[in-house]
Amino acid sequence: MLKPWVAALSATLLMQTVGTFLSQAVPVVAPLMTADLGLRPETVGNFSSINIFGAILFLLFGTPLVARFGPLRMLQVGALLSSLALLTAAAGIIWLLPVAALLMGIGYGPAGPAGSRILQATAPPRHRVLIFSIKQAGAPAGGALAGLIAAPIAAAYGWQVALLVGIGVALVCTVLIQPLRPQLDAERDPQRPLRGAFSPRQLAAPVNALRMHRVLPPLTLQAFAFAALQGSLFAFTVTWLVQEHGFTLTSAGSLFAAMQLAGVVGRLALGWAADRIGDATRSLAVHGLVAAALSALWVGFGPGAHWALALTLAIGAGFSAASWNGIFLAEVARVAPPDRVAEASSGAIMLCFLGYLIAPSAFAWAVTSTGSWTLPYYVFCGLLAVVSLLVLALRAGRDADRG
């Protein structure tokens, strides 16, 4: 039998990768899909926002499901729901796309709280942030696979075929982790009542989660700003490169994959560093300033540059803007009471996900209203920079009060 933390990390990393691969498949094939269905290119942002709304619904109401059925089982259920979402999208019926986006989000929702519950129970304390960051590295890894696999398949065989390939991957991985269920779902509570999922107390859970520790409000504010920028970059990069700069879908997918792979490296490197620095709030604020600057450089100079420079700038943006999640989740899990990790993670992630929810729709509206793709990118870079400075100022004030 695998060591508990190895089994936990293996299962959560695999399903995080699969979940992100499925959710990023639509933005990657969006240039072909929107053209085929007669939609404006920027409407992919609305799909992404509805996707996140679905994830928020799970985070708001799904914590009792994690406790009752077990976190691993909910990761499996999430993959199946996401597969159904891709099948619905592949039907090519416009009015079904919002349904597909909502299902996709609900399916992705368990990845955060279920993964945190599994890892917090098994991760060695001195490597907790690194282990959480390795698991969260599955998110950009899944996005990179979407760029490297879905884009060429869509270009060669059609966007529906690319989505069907994603379904096959999800079904195989769902079966692969089944042998780990007795080990990782051992603490599930089959008698846990589900009626509390829709109670007023559950609706207030996100706000109550922020009251568990004083570090959670600034930490979640920082995560919101990161999510807004990352969500915009990942939802629109392929469509922006194809529509505004004449890239082929395959070359745009390659740059998108480079951004995602850089995020994988960033999550591992910064997770390792955070374990040694021991100050997640301050390190994320400094990280936010760097991410805002590098992302602005990518937007301003990347697409029109020589391929080598474009690739370098894409890597810089991906490394900085997509490497914060593991540090955030590990810190939430660290400061939460041991028996309320899933609840705290659901609440903090849900408030963070408001950035993913609002940003793509606001971005699409800005493109339609102004005709500019770069302006909304710069706005979200500026938002992250301002929030990072605010968090640093709040932290400095708290340190001064202690002194």
Side-chain angles (χ1 to χ4, degrees):
M1 180 180 290
L2 293 174
K3 290 183 179 180
W5 74 267
V6 175
L9 181 57
S10 299
T12 54
L13 174 60
L14 177 65
M15 299 313 289
Q16 180 74 64
T17 303
V18 169
T20 309
F21 175 83
L22 298 178
S23 66
Q24 292 296 328
V26 171
V28 165
V29 305
L32 295 180
M33 185 180 76
T34 54
D36 189 30
L37 299 180
L39 300 172
R40 294 179 64 90
E42 61 267 23
T43 56
V44 66
N46 298 323
F47 186 97
S48 296
S49 287
I50 297 172
N51 182 344
I52 294 302
F53 179 70
I56 288 175
L57 287 179
F58 182 88
L59 294 170
L60 190 58
F61 300 115
T63 301
L65 297 176
V66 175
R68 178 164 179 167
F69 297 107
L72 193 77
R73 175 63 82 217
M74 292 313 302
L75 291 177
Q76 291 175 305
V77 170
L80 294 177
L81 284 175
S82 296
S83 298
L84 179 60
L86 285 190
L87 185 63
T88 304
I93 301 172
I94 292 176
W95 67 268
L96 282 177
L97 290 180
V99 176
L102 189 66
L103 281 174
M104 178 67 72
I106 294 172
Y108 189 76
S116 291
R117 178 164 175 158
I118 291 172
L119 292 181
Q120 182 64 16
T122 58
R126 63 189 296 263
H127 298 302
R128 181 182 292 114
V129 178
L130 177 59
I131 288 174
F132 270 79
S133 294
I134 292 172
K135 177 260 184 183
Q136 285 303 118
L145 290 174
L148 294 173
I149 296 174
I153 291 176
Y157 303 106
W159 61 272
Q160 290 99 333
V161 174
L163 299 186
L164 294 177
V165 168
I167 293 172
V169 170
L171 296 179
V172 169
C173 292
T174 299
V175 173
L176 280 177
I177 65 170
Q178 177 59 28
L180 296 176
R181 192 181 181 226
Q183 183 178 0
L184 299 182
D185 280 354
E187 297 182 3
R188 70 188 182 94
D189 180 8
Q191 306 305 316
R192 174 74 176 262
L194 297 181
R195 61 181 180 274
F198 302 99
S199 67
R201 180 177 178 276
Q202 189 66 29
L203 289 172
V207 175
N208 291 334
L210 296 186
R211 297 173 179 170
M212 292 184 188
H213 197 280
R214 67 178 182 276
V215 79
L216 289 176
L219 192 69
T220 303
L221 178 64
Q222 186 75 60
F224 172 89
F226 265 114
L229 177 57
Q230 181 186 327
S232 299
L233 282 172
F234 290 173
F236 292 101
T237 288
V238 174
T239 300
W240 172 52
L241 292 175
V242 171
Q243 294 292 325
E244 284 292 291
H245 299 282
F247 282 68
T248 65
L249 183 62
T250 300
S251 59
S254 297
L255 283 174
F256 179 82
M259 293 178 68
Q260 299 277 1
L261 288 172
V264 173
V265 177
R267 292 185 189 207
L268 299 180
L270 294 173
W272 176 86
D275 270 329
R276 282 142 185 83
I277 294 172
D279 189 339
T281 306
R282 178 178 288 137
S283 63
L284 275 180
V286 174
H287 183 177
L289 293 174
V290 175
L294 292 180
S295 297
L297 285 174
W298 155 248
V299 171
F301 302 102
H306 183 274
W307 176 259
L309 179 58
L311 181 62
T312 301
L313 292 174
I315 289 172
F319 182 93
S320 57
S323 52
W324 57 276
N325 315 63
I327 302 172
F328 168 64
L329 288 177
E331 186 69 358
V332 171
R334 184 186 70 82
V335 302
D339 61 339
R340 301 183 68 187
V341 170
E343 179 184 344
S345 297
S346 290
I349 294 169
M350 197 204 85
L351 293 169
C352 153
F353 268 29
L354 291 176
Y356 289 122
L357 173 69
I358 295 168
S361 288
F363 194 109
W365 174 83
V367 172
T368 302
S369 300
T370 68
S372 171
W373 289 78
T374 56
L375 176 62
Y377 275 131
Y378 284 136
V379 168
F380 291 122
C381 289
L383 173 66
L384 179 57
V386 169
V387 168
S388 299
L389 289 171
L390 176 62
V391 170
L392 282 174
L394 290 173
R395 186 55 189 264
R398 182 182 301 161
D399 291 344
D401 291 339
R402 287 177 182 173

